[in-house]
Amino acid sequence: MIEAVPPTVEIQVHAGCRYTSLLQTGVDIMTTVPCSIGDFLDRLPGFSKDYIINRVQTIFLNSTAVDDMETPLSGTAPVVALSAAMPGLAGAIFRRNSMHAALRSAKIPDFAAPSTQSRIIGVRLKLFNMVAAEKGEALFAAGVHCTGAGLLDFIAGHPAFLTSISRALFSGQELADSDLIKRLRTTDTIQLTIKMRGAILPAKTTTKEAHHE
Amino acid sequence: MSDKIFRVNMTTLTTCVEEVPANWAGHGGRGLTSTIVTAEVPPTCHPLGPNNKLIIAPGLLSGTPAANSGRLSFGGKSPLTGTIKESNAGGTAAQLMARCGCKALILEGRPAGNTWYSLAVSPKGVTINVETELIGKGNFEVVSTVTGRIAKKHALISIGQTGEMRMAAANISVKDSEGHLRSAGRGGLGAVMGSKRVKFITIDPQDGKVAIADPEKFKAANKIFTKALTSHPISQGLGQYGTNVLVNIINEAGGLPTKNFTAGQFAGHDKISGETMYDRIMERGGKPKHGCHPGCVIQCSQIYNDLKGQYKTSGFEYESIWAMGADCCVDNLDHIAEADSLMDDLGLDSIETSVAMGVAMEGGLLEFGDGEGILRILKEEVAKGTGLGRIIGGGAGLVGKTFGVARVPVVKNQAIPAYDPRAIKGIGITYATSTMGADHTMGYAIATNILKVGGSVDPLAKEGQVELSRNLQIATAAIDSTGMCLFIAFAALDDATCLPALIDLINARFGINLTGDDVVNLGKYILKTERAFNEAAGFTRTDDRLPEFFEYEPLAPHNMVWDFTGEEIDSFWDF
């Protein structure tokens, strides 16, 4: 559940910092429904129709592979996952409009008919592999919703991310990394923005690296 | 140099070089190993007895400059499944063996006594040598020691301690161009090599070259073929994330077998995914892109370093990471990498062994998620050949029987790999009907519309799934005969120039005129040949079944069960 006005977390990182794999567990994007998957993707920062058609080869809606871009977002908290073309037979099976779609389990997705009433919901968006690498930066620059615990979990597995932070603001207040961690521990949903600095800056202090190791 | 058959009799400790029989001449790789096994191995023989044979065959295009043509096939009767078996690996051996003029190396018989041997292959034939120093040693020490003994460029095929102990999950390793290992993993052929008391085989091509009948045509075809591979978008993803890129996709689809196949999604998927692995490789100075054999243009392998930035493992594949990860609920990628390295050194199939660990966890041996416990068992039990170690090394089926577990994910006693057949039923058909036990690579390759195998497929009908699995297995069997990596299938799937270029490569290599139909017929011949061997060994249609629990345990999140009838599965063989 997304809080009405979640606190903002704005993070600036050094160039070369790898953080787009944070998207593999998903972030929440507020969107107005009813809305098709195609329209939802088209509204995402950095996405274009051409990119969606040519690069996004695999789409899951609520864990079911989707072929038709007109499929409406369904459920109160839809989960959409995007991937580039994937290897192996399994990759081919789940690819959009694949001739190997016949090898999926033959269960017809039960996408409930969406309400015609316009409303704003949070869509859990997961970006995998090349799609995350190519579009993650734009998405984070525009801002996403996620949980404090999710960001902490990512930081725990990616210590280099923390050492790449050049500036962090929590609800507009600049914080040291250690204080940011403390605040994230006690915050459910945050509105997260990550932006890359243009220049590669010197490595941070040994104290900070040790702290996060 | 014309191709010959190199034969080694380990009973008499003699070797010879023979002409290639006419009906073997058109075969290579899997097609040849299965042809020879069917011709020369009594189907009812004991896999570790003197009557079984280990066949090692390069592909039809091995030793040429054709891109991605460095796979080496190993064949015999499997100690794990009791069926015919072909397993293939990258590394440098296929190309150098082809340059020796060796179309196939046949190891037969079994020596009396306890002496161990090594073999040295050159264009002149095979030499048998007594080996003492490396007996009881792991593959890594074999590679470093043999590399020190032989100054010149050579290829190396070896078994670890588990092959010496003839464990049914023992694999055969092949040295790659950087001195790391690639494995012919499945089916326990390392135990067959161990039963022949051959610890390792070196291959020195000297000045041998592979003759190409029409070099200009070959060069032109290879250019088209290579372009089709390198320009394909999947090649880009593979080069960055490796095959482990599949963790997130299969997890999202609900088909990632988790906690010994009790769920289809793993909460720790992001801790073991290709995306996370890539970040870690970059942070630790590893290599995200790396070929398993010279001439590979896809480069899906990688070098994974440990916390200190030191080399830990390479060829860190999706199926291995899934098996030790999601199936055993281990979400620590470093533990999985350590286990992968240990299994490489011991010479164990990382799928079979890891699935066996998952079954053992269900049986109470360890808690799910206990990565350190797995490492301890590999080091202290399997490596030393204790009773428990031999049970784990005997595969998932043996572990299930030993620990009284009913949920044992095997077909023909071979562990089911990383795609749950309840969530992806078409792959379940392949697991059930494969001539070699559950194996995801058996039905892998090439779009039906390009090969024109079979007719139209109704995506909502079971008949369509059976038909597509059949067509894929036919095509895969043919590709396995070329020495090509199966990943060429991506390009062949989408690029209309790719498969014709591959056929042109074969035609230019041998000066023949194969057509697409010939390729299809080759695939059919291989499948039928392998099935005939299995039937003569005592297998029936009832062996083409998935384990019962798939029928009564729905798989979350889609709550699907396996619901193909025996008759529906049996229709696979109607061709």
Side-chain angles (χ1 to χ4, degrees), chain A residues 21 24 102 104-105 129 153, chain B residues 271 273 275 279 422-423 443 465:
Chain A
S21 56
Q24 64 186 312
R104 296 174 192 163
S105 291
N129 48 72
D153 197 38
Chain B
K271 307 291 193 302
S273 69
E275 290 86 337
D279 288 349
R422 288 164 290 190
Q465 298 194 332

Side-chain angles (χ1 to χ4, degrees), chain B residues 276-473:
Chain B
T276 296
M277 187 170 84
Y278 172 78
D279 288 349
R280 197 161 294 177
I281 286 170
M282 297 305 288
E283 286 165 12
R284 296 178 179 178
K287 285 170 70 176
K289 194 171 180 175
H290 173 253
C292 83
H293 63 266
C296 170
V297 297
I298 294 177
Q299 308 241 317
C300 71
S301 180
Q302 61 296 113
I303 301 290
Y304 184 92
N305 289 345
D306 63 15
L307 272 167
K308 296 175 182 171
Q310 300 299 308
Y311 172 86
K312 177 50 64 180
T313 195
S314 60
F316 204 19
E317 299 270 2
Y318 163 66
E319 286 78 12
S320 303
I321 293 169
W322 154 76
M324 196 55 79
D327 196 48
C328 295
C329 297
V330 174
D331 65 2
N332 184 321
L333 200 52
D334 286 325
H335 285 164
I336 300 171
E338 178 70 24
D340 190 62
S341 174
L342 283 168
M343 289 186 282
D344 276 352
D345 196 31
L346 293 168
L348 277 172
D349 174 9
S350 55
I351 296 176
E352 190 68 43
T353 308
S354 303
V355 173
M357 288 284 189
V359 175
M361 285 173 156
E362 180 161 337
L365 179 66
L366 294 170
E367 293 293 322
F368 280 100
D370 186 357
E372 289 181 348
I374 289 172
L375 297 177
R376 178 176 53 75
I377 286 176
L378 287 171
K379 289 180 204 170
E380 297 178 9
E381 306 285 351
V382 181
K384 294 176 182 173
T386 65
L388 174 61
R390 287 173 185 268
I391 289 167
I392 297 289
L398 179 59
V399 169
K401 286 179 180 172
T402 307
F403 285 84
V405 175
R407 188 182 297 102
V408 183
V410 299
V411 177
K412 300 183 181 79
N413 202 44
Q414 180 164 283
I416 292 177
Y419 315 85
D420 196 295
R422 288 164 290 190
I424 316 172
K425 292 185 180 172
I427 291 185
I429 291 293
T430 299
Y431 291 158
T433 55
S434 160
T435 53
M436 304 190 191
D439 192 328
H440 62 290
T441 65
M442 287 295 116
Y444 208 70
I446 313 276
T448 51
N449 66 333
I450 294 173
L451 274 179
K452 297 183 176 60
V453 193
S456 61
V457 172
D458 176 356
L460 297 181
K462 289 179 177 176
E463 293 80 5
Q465 298 194 332
V466 172
E467 180 179 350
L468 193 41
S469 174
R470 179 195 304 133
N471 296 340
L472 289 162
Q473 289 197 54

